PDB file of all heavy atoms in Angstrom:
ATOM      1  N   LEU A   1      37.473  82.159 102.380  1.00 94.00           N
ATOM      2  CA  LEU A   1      38.768  82.700 102.783  1.00 94.00           C
ATOM      3  C   LEU A   1      39.491  83.464 101.755  1.00 94.00           C
ATOM      4  O   LEU A   1      40.228  84.345 101.976  1.00 94.00           O
ATOM      5  CB  LEU A   1      39.657  81.615 103.337  1.00 94.00           C
ATOM      6  CG  LEU A   1      39.209  80.890 104.513  1.00 94.00           C
ATOM      7  CD1 LEU A   1      40.139  79.788 104.942  1.00 94.00           C
ATOM      8  CD2 LEU A   1      38.999  81.930 105.673  1.00 94.00           C
ATOM      9  N   LEU A   2      39.045  83.250 100.519  1.00 95.00           N
ATOM     10  CA  LEU A   2      39.686  83.985  99.415  1.00 95.00           C
ATOM     11  C   LEU A   2      39.394  85.452  99.391  1.00 95.00           C
ATOM     12  O   LEU A   2      40.168  86.356  98.880  1.00 95.00           O
ATOM     13  CB  LEU A   2      39.215  83.379  97.992  1.00 95.00           C
ATOM     14  CG  LEU A   2      39.738  82.044  97.787  1.00 95.00           C
ATOM     15  CD1 LEU A   2      38.989  81.501  96.460  1.00 95.00           C
ATOM     16  CD2 LEU A   2      41.251  81.878  97.708  1.00 95.00           C
ATOM     17  N   VAL A   3      38.257  85.856 100.076  1.00 94.00           N
ATOM     18  CA  VAL A   3      37.909  87.315 100.158  1.00 94.00           C
ATOM     19  C   VAL A   3      37.924  87.820 101.598  1.00 94.00           C
ATOM     20  O   VAL A   3      37.224  88.832 101.894  1.00 94.00           O
ATOM     21  CB  VAL A   3      36.530  87.531  99.480  1.00 94.00           C
ATOM     22  CG1 VAL A   3      36.553  87.226  97.921  1.00 94.00           C
ATOM     23  CG2 VAL A   3      35.380  86.747 100.072  1.00 94.00           C
ATOM     24  N   ARG A   4      38.681  87.101 102.473  1.00 92.00           N
ATOM     25  CA  ARG A   4      38.577  87.490 103.885  1.00 92.00           C
ATOM     26  C   ARG A   4      39.232  88.906 104.186  1.00 92.00           C
ATOM     27  O   ARG A   4      38.739  89.482 105.217  1.00 92.00           O
ATOM     28  CB  ARG A   4      39.290  86.362 104.719  1.00 92.00           C
ATOM     29  CG  ARG A   4      40.833  86.497 104.591  1.00 92.00           C
ATOM     30  CD  ARG A   4      41.413  85.278 105.331  1.00 92.00           C
ATOM     31  NE  ARG A   4      42.928  85.507 105.469  1.00 92.00           N
ATOM     32  CZ  ARG A   4      43.725  85.557 104.543  1.00 92.00           C
ATOM     33  NH1 ARG A   4      43.372  85.430 103.310  1.00 92.00           N
ATOM     34  NH2 ARG A   4      45.061  85.751 104.657  1.00 92.00           N
ATOM     35  N   THR A   5      40.104  89.369 103.392  1.00 90.00           N
ATOM     36  CA  THR A   5      40.646  90.654 103.752  1.00 90.00           C
ATOM     37  C   THR A   5      39.700  91.800 103.313  1.00 90.00           C
ATOM     38  O   THR A   5      39.749  92.859 103.795  1.00 90.00           O
ATOM     39  CB  THR A   5      42.045  90.871 103.038  1.00 90.00           C
ATOM     40  OG1 THR A   5      41.909  90.678 101.656  1.00 90.00           O
ATOM     41  CG2 THR A   5      43.085  89.859 103.651  1.00 90.00           C
ATOM     42  N   ARG A   6      38.815  91.478 102.355  1.00 92.00           N
ATOM     43  CA  ARG A   6      37.925  92.612 101.835  1.00 92.00           C
ATOM     44  C   ARG A   6      36.652  92.546 102.787  1.00 92.00           C
ATOM     45  O   ARG A   6      36.111  93.666 103.057  1.00 92.00           O
ATOM     46  CB  ARG A   6      37.557  92.293 100.471  1.00 92.00           C
ATOM     47  CG  ARG A   6      36.607  93.304  99.871  1.00 92.00           C
ATOM     48  CD  ARG A   6      36.499  93.166  98.337  1.00 92.00           C
ATOM     49  NE  ARG A   6      35.638  94.211  97.834  1.00 92.00           N
ATOM     50  CZ  ARG A   6      36.071  95.181  97.122  1.00 92.00           C
ATOM     51  NH1 ARG A   6      37.274  95.361  96.833  1.00 92.00           N
ATOM     52  NH2 ARG A   6      35.188  96.071  96.668  1.00 92.00           N
ATOM     53  N   TRP A   7      36.115  91.480 103.147  1.00 92.00           N
ATOM     54  CA  TRP A   7      34.957  91.401 103.958  1.00 92.00           C
ATOM     55  C   TRP A   7      35.170  90.419 105.178  1.00 92.00           C
ATOM     56  O   TRP A   7      34.678  89.285 105.141  1.00 92.00           O
ATOM     57  CB  TRP A   7      33.764  90.826 103.127  1.00 92.00           C
ATOM     58  CG  TRP A   7      33.402  91.691 102.087  1.00 92.00           C
ATOM     59  CD1 TRP A   7      32.771  92.997 102.095  1.00 92.00           C
ATOM     60  CD2 TRP A   7      33.472  91.411 100.662  1.00 92.00           C
ATOM     61  NE1 TRP A   7      32.580  93.513 100.883  1.00 92.00           N
ATOM     62  CE2 TRP A   7      32.895  92.604  99.986  1.00 92.00           C
ATOM     63  CE3 TRP A   7      33.956  90.371  99.887  1.00 92.00           C
ATOM     64  CZ2 TRP A   7      32.935  92.582  98.615  1.00 92.00           C
ATOM     65  CZ3 TRP A   7      33.853  90.463  98.534  1.00 92.00           C
ATOM     66  CH2 TRP A   7      33.389  91.502  97.848  1.00 92.00           C
ATOM     67  N   PRO A   8      36.029  90.780 106.131  1.00 92.00           N
ATOM     68  CA  PRO A   8      36.413  89.977 107.184  1.00 92.00           C
ATOM     69  C   PRO A   8      35.127  89.371 108.031  1.00 92.00           C
ATOM     70  O   PRO A   8      35.118  88.199 108.392  1.00 92.00           O
ATOM     71  CB  PRO A   8      37.362  90.633 108.115  1.00 92.00           C
ATOM     72  CG  PRO A   8      37.308  92.064 107.630  1.00 92.00           C
ATOM     73  CD  PRO A   8      36.663  92.101 106.243  1.00 92.00           C
ATOM     74  N   VAL A   9      34.287  90.182 108.384  1.00 92.00           N
ATOM     75  CA  VAL A   9      33.123  89.881 109.210  1.00 92.00           C
ATOM     76  C   VAL A   9      32.245  88.968 108.446  1.00 92.00           C
ATOM     77  O   VAL A   9      31.737  87.899 108.985  1.00 92.00           O
ATOM     78  CB  VAL A   9      32.363  91.122 109.775  1.00 92.00           C
ATOM     79  CG1 VAL A   9      31.162  90.655 110.504  1.00 92.00           C
ATOM     80  CG2 VAL A   9      33.342  92.005 110.637  1.00 92.00           C
ATOM     81  N   GLY A  10      31.905  89.182 107.235  1.00 93.00           N
ATOM     82  CA  GLY A  10      31.049  88.450 106.425  1.00 93.00           C
ATOM     83  C   GLY A  10      31.735  87.020 106.156  1.00 93.00           C
ATOM     84  O   GLY A  10      30.993  85.985 106.216  1.00 93.00           O
ATOM     85  N   VAL A  11      33.025  86.954 106.021  1.00 94.00           N
ATOM     86  CA  VAL A  11      33.659  85.612 105.833  1.00 94.00           C
ATOM     87  C   VAL A  11      33.680  84.794 107.165  1.00 94.00           C
ATOM     88  O   VAL A  11      33.440  83.662 107.102  1.00 94.00           O
ATOM     89  CB  VAL A  11      35.158  85.911 105.348  1.00 94.00           C
ATOM     90  CG1 VAL A  11      35.953  84.589 105.468  1.00 94.00           C
ATOM     91  CG2 VAL A  11      35.147  86.303 103.969  1.00 94.00           C
ATOM     92  N   ALA A  12      33.746  85.532 108.260  1.00 94.00           N
ATOM     93  CA  ALA A  12      33.610  84.939 109.625  1.00 94.00           C
ATOM     94  C   ALA A  12      32.260  84.254 109.782  1.00 94.00           C
ATOM     95  O   ALA A  12      32.091  83.115 110.213  1.00 94.00           O
ATOM     96  CB  ALA A  12      33.909  85.799 110.701  1.00 94.00           C
ATOM     97  N   VAL A  13      31.227  84.933 109.329  1.00 94.00           N
ATOM     98  CA  VAL A  13      29.909  84.421 109.393  1.00 94.00           C
ATOM     99  C   VAL A  13      29.766  83.253 108.591  1.00 94.00           C
ATOM    100  O   VAL A  13      29.092  82.247 108.943  1.00 94.00           O
ATOM    101  CB  VAL A  13      28.886  85.545 109.107  1.00 94.00           C
ATOM    102  CG1 VAL A  13      27.454  84.982 108.946  1.00 94.00           C
ATOM    103  CG2 VAL A  13      28.937  86.686 110.182  1.00 94.00           C
ATOM    104  N   VAL A  14      30.226  83.363 107.319  1.00 95.00           N
ATOM    105  CA  VAL A  14      30.005  82.233 106.364  1.00 95.00           C
ATOM    106  C   VAL A  14      30.779  81.049 106.755  1.00 95.00           C
ATOM    107  O   VAL A  14      30.231  79.938 106.827  1.00 95.00           O
ATOM    108  CB  VAL A  14      30.502  82.655 104.953  1.00 95.00           C
ATOM    109  CG1 VAL A  14      30.562  81.561 104.022  1.00 95.00           C
ATOM    110  CG2 VAL A  14      29.479  83.710 104.340  1.00 95.00           C
ATOM    111  N   THR A  15      32.055  81.179 107.244  1.00 93.00           N
ATOM    112  CA  THR A  15      32.800  80.035 107.672  1.00 93.00           C
ATOM    113  C   THR A  15      32.189  79.428 108.945  1.00 93.00           C
ATOM    114  O   THR A  15      32.153  78.176 109.092  1.00 93.00           O
ATOM    115  CB  THR A  15      34.242  80.363 107.881  1.00 93.00           C
ATOM    116  OG1 THR A  15      34.356  81.453 108.796  1.00 93.00           O
ATOM    117  CG2 THR A  15      34.955  80.722 106.579  1.00 93.00           C
ATOM    118  N   GLY A  16      31.735  80.216 109.801  1.00 93.00           N
ATOM    119  CA  GLY A  16      31.020  79.756 111.056  1.00 93.00           C
ATOM    120  C   GLY A  16      29.837  79.008 110.725  1.00 93.00           C
ATOM    121  O   GLY A  16      29.532  77.926 111.304  1.00 93.00           O
ATOM    122  N   ALA A  17      28.992  79.448 109.855  1.00 93.00           N
ATOM    123  CA  ALA A  17      27.812  78.778 109.490  1.00 93.00           C
ATOM    124  C   ALA A  17      28.108  77.486 108.719  1.00 93.00           C
ATOM    125  O   ALA A  17      27.456  76.410 109.002  1.00 93.00           O
ATOM    126  CB  ALA A  17      27.031  79.582 108.448  1.00 93.00           C
ATOM    127  N   ALA A  18      29.177  77.346 107.926  1.00 91.00           N
ATOM    128  CA  ALA A  18      29.585  76.137 107.227  1.00 91.00           C
ATOM    129  C   ALA A  18      30.050  75.153 108.271  1.00 91.00           C
ATOM    130  O   ALA A  18      29.814  73.910 108.166  1.00 91.00           O
ATOM    131  CB  ALA A  18      30.690  76.442 106.182  1.00 91.00           C
ATOM    132  N   CYS A  19      30.808  75.598 109.287  1.00 88.00           N
ATOM    133  CA  CYS A  19      31.301  74.793 110.315  1.00 88.00           C
ATOM    134  C   CYS A  19      30.132  74.229 111.107  1.00 88.00           C
ATOM    135  O   CYS A  19      30.119  72.982 111.436  1.00 88.00           O
ATOM    136  CB  CYS A  19      32.312  75.462 111.202  1.00 88.00           C
ATOM    137  SG  CYS A  19      33.112  74.440 112.426  1.00 88.00           S
ATOM    138  N   ALA A  20      29.189  75.019 111.478  1.00 89.00           N
ATOM    139  CA  ALA A  20      28.105  74.632 112.315  1.00 89.00           C
ATOM    140  C   ALA A  20      27.195  73.643 111.441  1.00 89.00           C
ATOM    141  O   ALA A  20      26.718  72.701 111.984  1.00 89.00           O
ATOM    142  CB  ALA A  20      27.204  75.808 112.719  1.00 89.00           C
ATOM    143  N   GLY A  21      27.127  73.950 110.141  1.00 87.00           N
ATOM    144  CA  GLY A  21      26.413  73.022 109.199  1.00 87.00           C
ATOM    145  C   GLY A  21      26.989  71.581 109.259  1.00 87.00           C
ATOM    146  O   GLY A  21      26.285  70.614 109.273  1.00 87.00           O
ATOM    147  N   ARG A  22      28.373  71.547 109.135  1.00 84.00           N
ATOM    148  CA  ARG A  22      28.939  70.202 109.139  1.00 84.00           C
ATOM    149  C   ARG A  22      28.707  69.497 110.470  1.00 84.00           C
ATOM    150  O   ARG A  22      28.485  68.385 110.557  1.00 84.00           O
ATOM    151  CB  ARG A  22      30.483  70.430 108.966  1.00 84.00           C
ATOM    152  CG  ARG A  22      30.908  70.469 107.555  1.00 84.00           C
ATOM    153  CD  ARG A  22      32.365  70.299 107.340  1.00 84.00           C
ATOM    154  NE  ARG A  22      33.147  71.357 108.130  1.00 84.00           N
ATOM    155  CZ  ARG A  22      33.492  72.544 107.476  1.00 84.00           C
ATOM    156  NH1 ARG A  22      33.181  72.707 106.206  1.00 84.00           N
ATOM    157  NH2 ARG A  22      34.219  73.315 108.253  1.00 84.00           N
ATOM    158  N   ALA A  23      28.790  70.228 111.636  1.00 83.00           N
ATOM    159  CA  ALA A  23      28.584  69.705 112.941  1.00 83.00           C
ATOM    160  C   ALA A  23      27.141  69.059 113.027  1.00 83.00           C
ATOM    161  O   ALA A  23      26.941  68.039 113.555  1.00 83.00           O
ATOM    162  CB  ALA A  23      29.008  70.597 113.941  1.00 83.00           C
ATOM    163  N   LEU A  24      26.245  69.982 112.644  1.00 86.00           N
ATOM    164  CA  LEU A  24      24.812  69.546 112.695  1.00 86.00           C
ATOM    165  C   LEU A  24      24.506  68.367 111.767  1.00 86.00           C
ATOM    166  O   LEU A  24      23.555  67.538 112.042  1.00 86.00           O
ATOM    167  CB  LEU A  24      23.930  70.747 112.395  1.00 86.00           C
ATOM    168  CG  LEU A  24      23.923  71.897 113.456  1.00 86.00           C
ATOM    169  CD1 LEU A  24      23.150  72.997 112.902  1.00 86.00           C
ATOM    170  CD2 LEU A  24      23.331  71.354 114.767  1.00 86.00           C
ATOM    171  N   TYR A  25      25.248  68.328 110.652  1.00 82.00           N
ATOM    172  CA  TYR A  25      25.075  67.291 109.682  1.00 82.00           C
ATOM    173  C   TYR A  25      25.627  65.937 110.222  1.00 82.00           C
ATOM    174  O   TYR A  25      25.305  64.914 109.677  1.00 82.00           O
ATOM    175  CB  TYR A  25      25.748  67.665 108.294  1.00 82.00           C
ATOM    176  CG  TYR A  25      25.456  66.849 107.170  1.00 82.00           C
ATOM    177  CD1 TYR A  25      24.074  66.609 106.748  1.00 82.00           C
ATOM    178  CD2 TYR A  25      26.482  66.218 106.546  1.00 82.00           C
ATOM    179  CE1 TYR A  25      23.894  65.801 105.688  1.00 82.00           C
ATOM    180  CE2 TYR A  25      26.224  65.385 105.393  1.00 82.00           C
ATOM    181  CZ  TYR A  25      24.942  65.184 105.003  1.00 82.00           C
ATOM    182  OH  TYR A  25      24.727  64.433 103.896  1.00 82.00           O
ATOM    183  N   GLY A  26      26.558  66.008 111.176  1.00 78.00           N
ATOM    184  CA  GLY A  26      26.942  64.807 111.795  1.00 78.00           C
ATOM    185  C   GLY A  26      28.367  64.480 111.447  1.00 78.00           C
ATOM    186  O   GLY A  26      28.893  63.373 111.709  1.00 78.00           O
ATOM    187  N   HIS A  27      29.127  65.453 110.877  1.00 78.00           N
ATOM    188  CA  HIS A  27      30.479  65.219 110.447  1.00 78.00           C
ATOM    189  C   HIS A  27      31.387  65.902 111.437  1.00 78.00           C
ATOM    190  O   HIS A  27      31.310  67.132 111.604  1.00 78.00           O
ATOM    191  CB  HIS A  27      30.776  65.684 109.011  1.00 78.00           C
ATOM    192  CG  HIS A  27      32.028  65.252 108.459  1.00 78.00           C
ATOM    193  ND1 HIS A  27      32.062  64.008 107.793  1.00 78.00           N
ATOM    194  CD2 HIS A  27      33.347  65.686 108.504  1.00 78.00           C
ATOM    195  CE1 HIS A  27      33.379  63.848 107.438  1.00 78.00           C
ATOM    196  NE2 HIS A  27      34.120  64.783 107.895  1.00 78.00           N
ATOM    197  N   ILE A  28      32.236  65.182 112.106  1.00 76.00           N
ATOM    198  CA  ILE A  28      33.128  65.796 113.111  1.00 76.00           C
ATOM    199  C   ILE A  28      34.599  65.713 112.689  1.00 76.00           C
ATOM    200  O   ILE A  28      34.851  64.841 111.728  1.00 76.00           O
ATOM    201  CB  ILE A  28      32.988  65.057 114.486  1.00 76.00           C
ATOM    202  CG1 ILE A  28      33.364  63.601 114.332  1.00 76.00           C
ATOM    203  CG2 ILE A  28      31.600  65.186 115.076  1.00 76.00           C
ATOM    204  CD1 ILE A  28      33.495  62.882 115.757  1.00 76.00           C
ATOM    205  N   GLY A  29      35.322  66.543 113.147  1.00 74.00           N
ATOM    206  CA  GLY A  29      36.761  66.555 112.784  1.00 74.00           C
ATOM    207  C   GLY A  29      37.548  67.649 113.631  1.00 74.00           C
ATOM    208  O   GLY A  29      36.946  68.698 114.018  1.00 74.00           O
ATOM    209  N   GLU A  30      38.788  67.339 113.857  1.00 76.00           N
ATOM    210  CA  GLU A  30      39.510  68.286 114.636  1.00 76.00           C
ATOM    211  C   GLU A  30      39.871  69.628 113.881  1.00 76.00           C
ATOM    212  O   GLU A  30      39.992  70.657 114.430  1.00 76.00           O
ATOM    213  CB  GLU A  30      40.892  67.679 115.143  1.00 76.00           C
ATOM    214  CG  GLU A  30      40.619  66.569 116.180  1.00 76.00           C
ATOM    215  CD  GLU A  30      40.270  65.275 115.539  1.00 76.00           C
ATOM    216  OE1 GLU A  30      40.376  65.072 114.363  1.00 76.00           O
ATOM    217  OE2 GLU A  30      39.661  64.456 116.310  1.00 76.00           O
ATOM    218  N   LEU A  31      40.195  69.462 112.535  1.00 80.00           N
ATOM    219  CA  LEU A  31      40.581  70.670 111.824  1.00 80.00           C
ATOM    220  C   LEU A  31      39.498  71.247 110.983  1.00 80.00           C
ATOM    221  O   LEU A  31      39.748  72.296 110.213  1.00 80.00           O
ATOM    222  CB  LEU A  31      41.808  70.273 110.930  1.00 80.00           C
ATOM    223  CG  LEU A  31      43.111  69.927 111.655  1.00 80.00           C
ATOM    224  CD1 LEU A  31      44.134  69.474 110.707  1.00 80.00           C
ATOM    225  CD2 LEU A  31      43.501  71.127 112.508  1.00 80.00           C
ATOM    226  N   LEU A  32      38.287  70.821 111.170  1.00 80.00           N
ATOM    227  CA  LEU A  32      37.176  71.409 110.277  1.00 80.00           C
ATOM    228  C   LEU A  32      36.830  72.825 110.714  1.00 80.00           C
ATOM    229  O   LEU A  32      36.206  73.473 109.868  1.00 80.00           O
ATOM    230  CB  LEU A  32      35.964  70.469 110.339  1.00 80.00           C
ATOM    231  CG  LEU A  32      36.132  69.074 109.651  1.00 80.00           C
ATOM    232  CD1 LEU A  32      34.907  68.231 109.812  1.00 80.00           C
ATOM    233  CD2 LEU A  32      36.506  69.222 108.249  1.00 80.00           C
ATOM    234  N   ASN A  33      37.325  73.175 111.836  1.00 87.00           N
ATOM    235  CA  ASN A  33      36.976  74.626 112.349  1.00 87.00           C
ATOM    236  C   ASN A  33      38.191  75.517 111.998  1.00 87.00           C
ATOM    237  O   ASN A  33      38.101  76.680 112.312  1.00 87.00           O
ATOM    238  CB  ASN A  33      36.693  74.620 113.781  1.00 87.00           C
ATOM    239  CG  ASN A  33      37.808  74.102 114.638  1.00 87.00           C
ATOM    240  OD1 ASN A  33      38.829  73.580 114.138  1.00 87.00           O
ATOM    241  ND2 ASN A  33      37.695  74.265 115.959  1.00 87.00           N
ATOM    242  N   LEU A  34      39.185  75.036 111.233  1.00 90.00           N
ATOM    243  CA  LEU A  34      40.303  75.870 110.934  1.00 90.00           C
ATOM    244  C   LEU A  34      39.932  77.082 110.030  1.00 90.00           C
ATOM    245  O   LEU A  34      40.415  78.187 110.354  1.00 90.00           O
ATOM    246  CB  LEU A  34      41.366  75.027 110.230  1.00 90.00           C
ATOM    247  CG  LEU A  34      42.748  75.793 109.990  1.00 90.00           C
ATOM    248  CD1 LEU A  34      43.315  76.241 111.182  1.00 90.00           C
ATOM    249  CD2 LEU A  34      43.683  74.736 109.175  1.00 90.00           C
ATOM    250  N   PRO A  35      39.052  76.971 109.074  1.00 93.00           N
ATOM    251  CA  PRO A  35      38.592  78.107 108.348  1.00 93.00           C
ATOM    252  C   PRO A  35      37.986  79.174 109.314  1.00 93.00           C
ATOM    253  O   PRO A  35      38.258  80.366 109.016  1.00 93.00           O
ATOM    254  CB  PRO A  35      37.585  77.584 107.249  1.00 93.00           C
ATOM    255  CG  PRO A  35      37.986  76.218 107.060  1.00 93.00           C
ATOM    256  CD  PRO A  35      38.454  75.762 108.448  1.00 93.00           C
ATOM    257  N   VAL A  36      37.205  78.819 110.195  1.00 92.00           N
ATOM    258  CA  VAL A  36      36.678  79.768 111.150  1.00 92.00           C
ATOM    259  C   VAL A  36      37.716  80.433 112.050  1.00 92.00           C
ATOM    260  O   VAL A  36      37.685  81.697 112.165  1.00 92.00           O
ATOM    261  CB  VAL A  36      35.640  79.043 112.122  1.00 92.00           C
ATOM    262  CG1 VAL A  36      35.039  80.029 113.018  1.00 92.00           C
ATOM    263  CG2 VAL A  36      34.535  78.354 111.287  1.00 92.00           C
ATOM    264  N   MET A  37      38.666  79.761 112.469  1.00 93.00           N
ATOM    265  CA  MET A  37      39.780  80.287 113.244  1.00 93.00           C
ATOM    266  C   MET A  37      40.544  81.373 112.401  1.00 93.00           C
ATOM    267  O   MET A  37      40.849  82.408 112.915  1.00 93.00           O
ATOM    268  CB  MET A  37      40.745  79.218 113.758  1.00 93.00           C
ATOM    269  CG  MET A  37      40.097  78.350 114.820  1.00 93.00           C
ATOM    270  SD  MET A  37      41.303  77.313 115.596  1.00 93.00           S
ATOM    271  CE  MET A  37      41.393  75.991 114.366  1.00 93.00           C
ATOM    272  N   VAL A  38      40.808  80.998 111.168  1.00 94.00           N
ATOM    273  CA  VAL A  38      41.526  82.014 110.224  1.00 94.00           C
ATOM    274  C   VAL A  38      40.646  83.212 109.965  1.00 94.00           C
ATOM    275  O   VAL A  38      41.133  84.359 110.063  1.00 94.00           O
ATOM    276  CB  VAL A  38      41.957  81.271 108.852  1.00 94.00           C
ATOM    277  CG1 VAL A  38      42.418  82.260 107.907  1.00 94.00           C
ATOM    278  CG2 VAL A  38      42.934  80.218 109.146  1.00 94.00           C
ATOM    279  N   ALA A  39      39.378  82.999 109.763  1.00 94.00           N
ATOM    280  CA  ALA A  39      38.475  84.110 109.573  1.00 94.00           C
ATOM    281  C   ALA A  39      38.355  85.033 110.782  1.00 94.00           C
ATOM    282  O   ALA A  39      38.417  86.216 110.657  1.00 94.00           O
ATOM    283  CB  ALA A  39      37.097  83.614 109.091  1.00 94.00           C
TER     284      ALA A  39
END
C-alpha cells in the first residue's frame, strides 16, 4: 500500500494474492481483506 498511488494495479494484484494466500493457508478474519479494498 505504500506504493499504491504509483502502481495501483500492481498493488491490487499483490494485496489480492496475499489475501488469497492467507485464506488458502487457513487464516480467516473480517478485516484481512482491507488492504485489497484500499488497493
Side-chain angles (χ1 to χ4, degrees):
L1 293 177
L2 295 173
V3 295
R4 76 187 192 291
T5 57
R6 185 169 179 107
W7 297 295
V9 174
V11 169
V13 169
V14 168
T15 57
C19 185
R22 275 193 300 270
L24 291 173
Y25 190 61
H27 194 90
I28 61 169
E30 290 79 20
L31 292 176
L32 293 179
N33 60 353
L34 186 58
V36 179
M37 290 188 284
V38 170

